[in-house]
Structures are given as C-alpha cells and as structure tokens.
Amino acid sequence: MARYRLSAIGAAAVFELAALTAVLAPLWSSAAAPGQGPGGREATATVPAPTARDLAIRGNAAIARGDYAAAQESFEGVVACGGGEYRPRALAGLAALRRLEDRPWLGVPLLREADACFDGWDMSNGLVLWSRRTVLAESARTYVALGVPDVAYDYLPELRACSQAPCDWFNATVLTLDVLSAQHDWVRARERAVAALADVRIDDPSVWAVQRAARAAIRFRLAIADRNLAATDAALRAAAVALLELSDSGLPELLQQRAIATAADCRLEAGDLADATAAHERVELPAELGSKYAAEVLAQRARIAMARGASGADLSELHDRLAAGVEDWLAEWRSMPVRPGGVGTLHFATHRAAIATLLELDRYVLGGGAEDDERAVAAVFDHLEAALASGTLARGLGVGVTLADEQALAPADGGLLMFLSGIGSGSLLLVERDHVSHHVVRLDHGHEAAARALREAVDKPPPADARSAKGLAIVERLADRVAAGLLPDAVRRRLAGWRTIVLVGPELDRRDLQALHTGDGWLALGHALVHASSVSVLRGLRDRAARRPTPPGARLDVAVVGDPLLDPAAAKRWFVEPLAMTAAQRASLTAGLSPSQWHAWWGTAATAGALALPAVRSARALCVFTHGVQDYARERSAGLLLADGNGARALFADAIERLQVPAVVLLGVCGAAAGPVRMGDDGANHLGGAFLSAGADSVLLASGDLSVGATRDLLGHTLAEWQRGANLAEALRRARVRIAAEPARAHPYFFAGLRLVGLDSRHD
C-alpha cells in the first residue's frame, strides 16, 4: 500500500474531513454497547457480515484517528458490496485518501463515479444529502490540491445551498475560505472570514461539537488573508502576532504548525531575524507530512540561515536536503497523467518559494556566491527546468534538455532569460551561447500589487485621460517600479547587448517582464521578445518542426480567416458587435504582402471549416481576426467566433486541438490567452496551447482586450516584415515601434498586449 502523506496544502481540508466524520460517526453507530446486541442483550457467537453502513462508519472513524490503511479497507468494502446511499461517500473517502498520499489526480475518476451515483436519487433524503455534501466537499479539496482552485470554486454554490444546518454551514464556510485563499483572492477571503465571525451560527453547540476552536479556525484564515494583504513591515508584524496567538488557541496541530510557519515568514520578510528564527524553531517536521511540506519548511529554514549568515557547512546540509525533497515532490507530479486544462504544479507561492530558495542555495553552496560559476549555474538550470518542464505541453512533446541544449537554443543576437519568483525574492538565469549567469532579485511588499496593476494597464482599454502625456507617464512610472524589482543593474547591462530575448518561466512572470519600462524605453520596443513555458517546450517544438515535411507544390504564405458574419443571436449571446470591416480595412491587413501569396476568407467564408481547408493547412502562416469569447462553463474558457451558415458559432480549445494548422498562427482575438491561472502548466489552459498542440510552432496572442484598429495594423505590419525576411519576433518588434510612434497609440495597451509564444519562426 502507498505511504500516506499529508501535504501542507491539504492540512486544513484534512482537518475538516476528520472533524466532520468525528461528529457524524456516532449518529450512524448502534445504540448497543461493545459486545452487546441491540437493546443491550448479550451478543450471539454468530457475527453477521458488516453492512455498507457498518463499513462506512469504520472508514469514517479510521480517517478521524488517522488510520488511513484501515479507512482504505473499509471504503473498498462499501464499494464492493454496492453500498447504496453509502457508495458515493465511500468513493469520496477513497478520493480523499489519494489526496492524502499526494496523488490527488487519482481521486478525480473516483469523484466522477461518486457524482454519477446521485442521478435519480431523492435529494430530500437526509442520508443522500449528507453523501452529496461529502462528495462536493471532497471534489473541491481535490481540485485545490491539483492547483486548479477555479474548478474547486464551481462546487461551492451547491455545497453552501445544501449546508444550512450550523455544523454544515461551518464546514462549508471553512472550505470556501480555503478555496478563496488558493485562488489568491485575499480580499474576498477576508470579507467572508469577518462575516463568518459575526454569524451567530458559529457559536451553535453543534459547531462546537465538531470543532471547539471554531472561531480560531476562522481567525486563522483571516490572519492568512491579512498576511497576504500586508503592504508594510508593521502589517506583517501584526499578522505574525495574530498567527502566533492562534497557534496557542486550540487549533488542530496541523493548523498550529501552519500558523507558526507563516508567522516566521512574516517576521523574516519584515527583517526581524531573531523573531523569525524563534518562530521557525517551533515548527516541527514530521517525516509523515510529505515531500512538499518538508520542502517548504526546509526552504524557510534555509532563507533564515542565509539571512543570518550561516556557515557553509550548515547551508550545504540544507541544500542537499532541500534538493532531495523538491525532487521527490516533482517526481510525484511527473507521474500524473496529462489532464486537459492542466494543473498548477507551481500554483502555490510556498511551492515556488521552495524552488526559488533551492536556486539561491545552488549559487551560494555550489558557486560560492559567484553569479557565473559553471557548477552552480548548471544546478540552477537543472532544478528550475525540472519544475517548469512538469507541464502538459512539455510532457506531450516528450524531450529532456541540458544546459548545453539551452545554450544551443539561445538566439545569436541575444539569449534566454529564465525567471521564477518566490516569497520576497526571485531568480533570473541569463543564458547566452557562450555565457550563463544567475541573479537573485529581492521583491518588496508592493511588487505583486504593482505587477498586477501593470498587467491590467496592458490588458484593458485605457480611459481617455490615461492616453495623454501625463497619463502615459503614470503608466511608465508603474512599469519602471516593477522593473526596479525584476531587473537589477547587472541584468540590465547584460540585456542591453541583446536584441532578442526568449522569456522562459511561468506565464504571469513572463507577462510582467514583457510590459516593463526601464527608463530607456519599453522593453517590447527595444527587444524582440519570445515566450516559452520551459526550455523543454522550445526543444520539443524545434525538433518537431525539423521533422515536418514540406507540402508539395505551391502554397500560400498567409491564409487570413476573419471578420465573420455574426447573426443577432450570436452577438447577443456573446455580448459583441459585428466587426463589419470595410473593404479598405480588410485590405490594410494584407497590404504589405505579395498579392499572389495570400488569400482571405472573410464574412460568411470565415468558418471553422475554412481552418481545415488544404490551402489553409499548407500555408506558411494563418492569421485569424475575429472576436474572442469566454464561456465560463468550460474550464478552458477562451474561444473564437467564426461564421456558421447564416449565423456564427464559437470554436474552443478542444476543437482546435483536432485541427492541423500552419507553423505560424497569429490571433487577432481578444482574450485568446485568457483562462484560469495554471502556474507550472502554462499554455494548457488557453488557445495558445491548443494551437501549439495542433501543430503550430509559433502563436501570437493576447490575454486581454485588443484595440481593433491598432491590432489590425500591428498584424499587417508584422506579416509584411516577416514575409520580407525578418524573424517573427523581430517583425513584431518593428510593428510595435510603428504603432507606438503614433501619439494616439503610445500607451502599451495598443502595442504590448500581443505576445509571441513558441519558436521565433523565420519565413522559409
């Protein structure tokens, strides 16, 4: 049997599961005392086979006392005998055990089977309703553990609707707070925690029977939210005080440990080394808690040790232990089957912090602090790429890489910039063909808020006053402020000699880097920028491109599919207006191309079927210019509107992946890269990953809104420059420069929203 382990992510959820079963198990048990039959009569020697009810009670009790092997046996027994109303509860219990052994993906099919049990059942039946609550709650916990809390959130409305009794309300409230925290929605988490503390149900006796520290459980979530909203040292210290007080307030042991560890991080970030050390020394590291929790605790210990100037021997020991823990954790994740929509291997900041801390230890332990020590930078690359290459796209392409491979992939006129942020710091790895250097950056309290505001400035149409010289200066200062944290002077000096920069790392980090303004100008105007989720993806795309046969005969340079006919029903359904481009506007998109080397499918011809035509499939590039849509009933919500007879229909990622598309795809589509965050599995959640999976080497797309006019001109200039021989990234840079030179389009919303993902393709 697998070794059961409790990850820090699931600590609160496990507590809730155990608490719920602790109060419900007696309700299921017989009134007879041990050794007696019903009514207290002496039991006969014949012991009947346990019923599904008996086995479910045993499984609940086993989870409550932490005997997971016994719980497994009991829940499997329920399933084997059919189980009736207890069957979905047993399946949810088995899914919980998969989560507890740090393999939550194995619980997903069990939960689907449990969900199907309720078809046709009477939901007014108390036992059925209880089983339903259990399945909904475990589904949410499993998807949180997978790093996809957006999916987990979808289970909460029904859970809250069937959780009216005070005890059920309490459990649903705590789970809601945990999901909001996993979504990094700290404002709403704080608001809900404050409301829960003011709700009279929290003092109901049935709640106290489940959790005598009910108020402390809510206050703990409130303190975590306050810690993540803290913008000053004083706020961090206040959060640390609250967390340490909670650690002595009757919380379950696992939450006590989380409170103490978070308080230590607050103190460290505030610069209080003695207090951080004192708090950390109270954190326990039981071996059974699992590799992720061990890595988190060891990483915190290492951060404190480096801040205190610990000896080389101490740091070396921490380095080796942390490296082993991170590898153990990543090896578990790599055993997971590929999941449509991806998972969040690096979704949680503590996971990224563990890896970022390991990279910093690589530098100081293996390289003596030198930024370009060969042994140290090789270790930094191996550890960083191991994390980034755990994603769906990298695993689908099935290649491994070394640092030498990465150097061979570096553009001749630039290099690769790999980045990963942690807690208050991050690592930059600059890779050129003949030189590699590693830089550690410190990120202050306000960095994340500034980066978020910068992303919004690029993704949303600016108000009229923001387009003025004064408004533009405000955005530039914001971008300068983010750049001050991400690009230290040594990095800026190195980048100054690069024309092409390949940005490698989590998508949010790469978007921040693309939008930077360094005082010398916008990074996207001075450099040709390419994005990739990992070096393995770059290598895999390059190898696949090399194997692609050249289509026989003449073929188009560019196939354009756009400005589809939209019927009133589709326009109303998706809240869009027809683009209704004039003949002159359509012509402007292809004005710079050789007349005989492009063809456009406009209006009623701009259909999904057009994308499958041989002339489109064999073209060197495909340009799609239409409305983007978001269907939030789908996990991969981004789609694009195309004509369909006398109306229109949306095409989503699953349909796109079944196509065979050209090597270069340009999407003049709002929100094509929008979707739930998948840190560590970037691209699997949006149309960029779908087109790469369908055969594209390079995809140009945006996460936010796009200006119709500016985007049309930007794509037209890019295609013309590319056809004349420029690499795609350089063609895009030249087009950006032309757009930004117009005073009315100088705001980065007009030129920096589109990004190039994949290879820097050249016109062949």
Side-chain angles (χ1 to χ4, degrees):
M1 176 163 295
R3 178 166 60 98
Y4 288 92
R5 288 179 287 187
L6 178 63
S7 71
I9 304 173
V14 172
F15 151 64
E16 295 305 330
L17 179 59
L20 184 62
T21 54
V23 70
L24 288 174
L27 297 180
W28 281 357
S29 63
S30 168
Q36 292 182 320
R41 297 189 300 273
E42 194 70 28
T44 64
T46 301
V47 179
T51 64
R53 172 182 175 276
D54 297 329
L55 291 169
I57 291 172
R58 294 178 188 177
N60 294 338
I63 284 186
R65 66 175 182 268
D67 188 348
Y68 301 130
Q72 172 91 10
E73 182 179 356
S74 296
F75 290 141
E76 286 179 343
V78 175
V79 174
C81 71
E85 292 92 339
Y86 298 98
R87 183 180 182 86
R89 170 63 187 88
L91 290 166
L94 291 171
L97 294 173
R98 301 291 80 77
R99 174 170 52 82
L100 296 177
E101 63 183 9
D102 277 344
R103 295 190 295 171
W105 52 89
L106 296 180
V108 173
L110 294 167
L111 291 165
R112 288 177 182 155
E113 183 181 350
D115 192 62
C117 291
F118 296 98
D119 292 343
W121 282 11
D122 179 9
M123 296 305 295
S124 66
N125 179 295
L127 182 56
V128 171
L129 190 61
W130 174 73
S131 290
R132 183 63 179 161
R133 282 195 297 268
T134 305
V135 172
L136 291 169
E138 182 53 41
S139 296
R141 292 172 186 134
T142 291
Y143 283 109
V144 166
L146 283 169
V148 288
D150 53 285
V151 179
Y153 190 84
D154 291 341
Y155 290 90
L156 298 181
E158 184 183 353
L159 177 62
R160 289 194 295 266
C162 62
S163 300
Q164 298 305 308
C167 177
D168 300 328
W169 163 83
F170 172 75
N171 285 298
T173 296
V174 168
L175 184 54
T176 298
L177 292 174
D178 289 342
V179 173
L180 288 172
S181 297
Q183 288 182 304
H184 307 150
D185 193 345
W186 304 112
V187 172
R188 289 178 64 204
R190 190 182 197 287
E191 290 172 350
R192 282 190 176 269
V194 170
L197 291 171
D199 195 304
V200 295
R201 287 176 289 185
I202 198 170
D203 294 319
D204 189 275
S206 65
V207 173
W208 283 74
V210 175
Q211 173 51 269
R212 296 191 181 280
R215 284 189 171 275
I218 302 296
R219 287 171 53 215
F220 168 75
R221 273 83 179 177
L222 176 60
I224 293 292
D226 285 339
R227 180 262 182 276
N228 284 279
L229 291 170
T232 65
D233 288 344
L236 284 168
R237 292 179 179 119
V241 170
L243 287 162
L244 289 174
E245 289 176 351
L246 283 166
S247 70
D248 298 320
S249 63
L251 282 175
E253 182 181 356
L254 294 172
L255 294 191
Q256 290 180 31
Q257 293 298 308
R258 171 57 69 194
I260 297 169
T262 306
D265 263 334
C266 291
R267 289 296 191 180
L268 179 60
E269 193 172 340
D272 305 330
L273 292 183
D275 290 331
T277 303
H280 178 79
E281 288 175 350
R282 294 176 54 190
V283 178
E284 298 178 0
L285 184 56
E288 67 271 15
L289 286 189
S291 55
K292 288 194 291 290
Y293 184 74
E296 290 177 27
V297 174
L298 286 169
Q300 184 181 85
R301 187 173 302 168
R303 290 194 296 273
I304 293 172
M306 286 187 285
R308 293 178 63 87
S311 69
D314 289 342
L315 292 180
S316 180
E317 179 187 1
L318 286 168
H319 171 269
D320 293 346
R321 293 177 63 192
L322 182 56
V326 168
E327 173 54 32
D328 185 21
W329 157 45
L330 291 176
E332 290 173 351
W333 279 87
R334 284 193 292 269
S335 69
M336 174 181 51
V338 169
R339 175 181 178 275
V343 297
T345 314
L346 302 178
H347 179 85
F348 296 94
T350 48
H351 297 174
R352 298 196 303 277
I355 296 171
T357 303
L358 176 59
L359 304 183
E360 193 169 352
L361 283 172
D362 285 336
R363 172 171 173 165
Y364 290 105
V365 171
L366 302 180
E371 67 180 32
D372 56 359
D373 178 85
E374 290 186 6
R375 183 184 175 205
V377 296
V380 168
F381 170 78
D382 288 343
H383 289 140
L384 179 52
E385 179 63 16
L388 298 178
S390 297
T392 296
L393 294 177
R395 294 169 66 191
L397 290 165
V399 297
V401 292
T402 65
L403 181 55
D405 295 325
E406 182 181 30
Q407 289 184 270
L409 288 167
D413 61 347
L416 290 87
L417 191 160
M418 301 180 73
F419 181 69
L420 181 71
S421 59
I423 296 178
S425 67
S427 273
L428 290 165
L429 191 67
L430 274 63
V431 181
E432 299 165 292
R433 292 186 176 183
D434 59 356
H435 185 263
V436 183
S437 60
H438 174 220
H439 306 264
V440 177
V441 298
R442 303 300 173 194
L443 307 174
D444 61 26
H445 310 314
H447 173 81
E448 177 53 37
R452 190 183 311 114
L454 181 58
R455 289 194 293 270
E456 291 175 356
V458 172
D459 287 348
K460 298 295 181 183
D465 58 348
R467 305 183 195 189
S468 66
K470 182 178 180 181
L472 183 58
I474 293 173
V475 178
E476 289 176 349
R477 286 196 296 272
L478 177 63
D480 281 335
R481 191 251 188 272
V482 177
L486 293 178
L487 300 180
D489 290 343
V491 172
R492 295 187 191 212
R493 288 193 295 271
R494 202 81 194 179
L495 295 182
W498 293 12
R499 171 51 65 91
T500 302
I501 303 175
V502 182
L503 302 171
V504 180
E507 195 159 42
L508 286 182
D509 291 338
R510 289 186 274 114
R511 288 178 60 198
D512 294 343
L513 289 163
Q514 170 159 316
L516 295 185
H517 187 276
T518 63
D520 297 327
W522 294 99
L523 196 72
L525 300 182
H527 300 272
L529 303 179
V530 185
H531 293 249
S533 54
S534 69
V535 179
S536 295
V537 165
L538 288 174
R539 171 70 183 274
L541 291 174
R542 188 197 67 177
D543 292 352
R544 188 180 70 180
R547 297 191 299 268
R548 182 185 295 112
T550 301
R555 58 181 176 141
L556 295 173
D557 262 2
V558 180
V560 178
V561 177
D563 190 17
L565 173 70
L566 297 186
D567 60 295
K572 182 178 180 181
R573 163 70 176 84
W574 299 108
F575 303 99
V576 297
E577 296 290 338
L579 293 175
M581 295 166 62
T582 66
Q585 289 171 336
R586 289 178 174 179
S588 69
L589 189 61
T590 55
L593 302 177
S594 301
S596 62
Q597 295 184 321
W598 65 269
H599 186 81
W601 287 260
W602 300 111
T604 57
T607 65
L611 299 181
L613 291 173
V616 174
R617 294 201 311 265
S618 64
R620 291 180 174 85
L622 166 65
C623 178
V624 180
F625 195 80
T626 185
H627 281 296
V629 299
Q630 299 292 321
D631 181 356
Y632 296 109
R634 297 170 176 265
E635 181 179 346
R636 292 189 286 177
S637 58
L640 49 89
L641 277 182
L642 293 171
D644 184 27
N646 293 322
R649 70 182 180 94
L651 195 68
F652 293 95
D654 52 351
I656 289 169
E657 288 170 341
R658 294 193 290 270
L659 297 172
Q660 180 182 337
V661 301
V664 174
V665 175
L666 299 88
L667 300 177
V669 177
C670 292
V677 174
R678 293 288 180 266
M679 292 284 276
D681 202 357
D682 303 292
N685 61 324
H686 56 58
L687 298 187
F691 275 102
L692 289 174
S693 297
D697 301 331
S698 315
V699 182
L700 187 62
L701 76 172
S703 294
D705 296 338
L706 293 171
S707 162
V708 173
T711 302
R712 184 181 62 241
D713 293 345
L714 186 70
L715 293 176
H717 297 326
T718 300
L719 285 169
E721 292 286 353
W722 177 69
Q723 191 183 60
R724 287 195 286 267
N727 280 16
L728 191 56
E730 174 61 17
L732 176 60
R733 186 198 69 80
R734 295 176 187 176
R736 283 175 172 151
V737 170
R738 290 186 63 173
I739 297 298
E742 303 176 37
R745 293 172 168 177
H747 191 283
Y749 164 73
F750 295 102
F751 64 81
L754 285 166
R755 63 181 181 274
L756 174 61
V757 177
L759 299 180
D760 185 13
S761 297
R762 190 176 185 86
H763 186 279
D764 57 15

